[in-house]
Amino acid sequence: MTTEEMQKKIEKVFSERFGGKGNIYASAGRINLIGEHTDYNGGFVFPGAIDKVIMAEVRPNGLDIVRVFSIDIDQYCEFGLNEEDAPKESWARYIFGICREIQKRGGDVKGFDAVFAGNVPLGAGLSSSAALESCFAFALNDLYNGNNIDKFELARIGQSTEHNYCGVNCGIMDQFASVFGRKGNLMRLDCRSMEFEYFPFSPENYRLVLVDSRVKHELADSPYNKRRESCERVAKRLGIETLRDATMEALNKIKTDITAEDFFRAKFVIEEKERVLAVCDALNAGDYETVGRKMYETHAGLSKDYEVSCEELDFLNDVAKELGVTGSRIMGGGFGGCTINLLPNDLHDKFVKEVTARFNEKYGHEPKIYDVVISDGARLVEESPKE
Ligand code: GLA
């Protein structure tokens, strides 16, 4: 469904369910060029928002309950705004969490009606959940808080929602990208200082393509939180706040005091930090071959040391390499989802055809292919006409 079609659908359903019109808001899914599992270690990430969004029509209802309908799941849910009112439906908990996290920070939220839908593929590692959180955080900031909550806080509200209502101890990357995304730009974020810069990304001869293995990716109760715990254990052992400050030299010194598993997790994080910086230099020099090489290194690290890959993703990585793709790696938390591929324009059609056929032959289903269009993040799409 295109974003325009989706908006029409949302407007139709909203007027049928609630009558009239509300404001339309949207926020985006994200890609990440490099810098994986570094955000919660105080390191660097390199994400950008994409042209796939969660969109919602939202209007205050003058009550103290939220009434919300999800078009994609075809479910309706109602909940109050006190802690004990948490809904059971996992999709509604994201919205409830946003309301509560705004309230906990002293912000205002009252009852509203909403209808939403999305074209960010679910479980593909493109952060549909961050898009949902950012869309509602942005909307409630606009409707009830005079846009006084700053954008970093909006991202943190989304992150805290994951921590406190959805069971995922994620870092800040996804919500940051979804809130701050800007058309045509990637962003390098230092997750310790939260300083960032926009990085125009429109290489003349290369493009980014995602290959979605359609292997389900579920971060709650998943080994994701365990990875984070490993990193925190090693940081503690090294007497530092996060692995941002760790070196391989220091890690090697404590090698015999920690488990092999923790050692390899920390090794990956330390190496990944260096890779992000190397990729920035390479991008500044227009050296896409180096960018690609670093992406392959990240994949190897994520697969062997961090162990967040799976057979299908390793297969996609091997096929990419064989077909001459410049860079390819798992993207996002891992355990399924997409690979991100950097490739010369003239390889695009051949790559898409071959990777689709070969994956289908081996796993009995075709992967989905998404051409990356780097787009804007959270926004007001359309204001309802004033009565
Ligand atoms: C998930 C998390 C992010 C980040 C990535 C891995 O997307 O939500 O915070 O840790 O995994 O880089």
Side-chain angles (χ1 to χ4, degrees), residues 247-301:
T247 58
M248 272 316 290
E249 203 189 343
L251 181 65
N252 280 323
K253 281 198 186 129
I254 59 158
K255 189 170 182 176
T256 50
D257 306 344
I258 58 178
T259 64
E261 198 175 275
D262 282 1
F263 174 84
F264 284 109
R265 306 298 189 239
K267 169 177 173 280
F268 166 78
V269 172
I270 294 167
E271 291 172 350
E272 183 73 350
K273 177 178 67 181
E274 296 305 321
R275 277 192 286 267
V276 181
L277 299 177
V279 160
C280 288
D281 291 345
L283 281 179
N284 281 329
D287 176 3
Y288 291 96
E289 292 300 318
T290 298
V291 174
R293 213 171 39 249
K294 295 288 161 194
M295 290 169 76
Y296 279 116
E297 285 174 24
T298 293
H299 184 91

Side-chain angles (χ1 to χ4, degrees), residues 1-16 20-21 24 55-57 71 115 117 381-382:
M1 200 169 17
T2 67
T3 304
E4 289 71 32
E5 287 162 357
M6 194 162 74
Q7 185 174 340
K8 287 215 170 66
K9 180 100 199 261
I10 291 170
E11 287 170 341
K12 182 167 179 285
V13 175
F14 189 94
S15 80
E16 283 166 6
K21 277 183 70 58
I24 310 261
M55 185 180 270
E57 184 159 356
I71 292 183
V115 169
V381 176
E382 201 177 304

Side-chain angles (χ1 to χ4, degrees), residues 57-132:
E57 184 159 356
V58 188
R59 185 180 60 193
N61 60 17
L63 308 168
D64 45 17
I65 54 164
V66 172
R67 305 186 292 199
V68 56
F69 182 73
S70 160
I71 292 183
D72 301 326
I73 302 178
D74 192 22
Q75 263 182 23
Y76 172 78
C77 184
E78 260 182 37
F79 51 82
L81 290 164
N82 299 311
E83 197 60 24
E84 61 275 15
D85 298 326
K88 282 191 299 299
E89 294 84 345
S90 57
W91 61 269
R93 291 179 73 85
Y94 290 105
I95 302 167
F96 177 76
I98 292 295
C99 298
R100 291 293 304 146
E101 290 297 333
I102 292 178
Q103 290 173 315
K104 285 183 205 168
R105 288 163 171 77
D108 205 15
V109 180
K110 298 197 181 66
F112 58 87
D113 296 334
V115 169
F116 75 97
N119 55 12
V120 190
L122 299 180
L126 298 176
S127 291
S128 52
S129 60
L132 176 60

Side-chain angles (χ1 to χ4, degrees), residues 213-227:
S213 64
R214 293 163 67 200
V215 174
K216 189 100 178 89
H217 153 110
E218 193 67 70
L219 293 187
D221 298 322
S222 81
Y224 179 91
N225 292 351
K226 296 243 157 28
R227 297 299 181 278

Side-chain angles (χ1 to χ4, degrees), residues 30 32 35-40 45 125 127 168 170-175 217 219 224 332-334:
R30 62 104 190 88
N32 184 28
E36 221 62 89
H37 290 276
T38 45
D39 56 356
Y40 53 82
V45 292
S127 291
V168 181
C170 64
I172 194 68
M173 170 170 72
D174 304 350
Q175 291 78 10
H217 153 110
L219 293 187
Y224 179 91

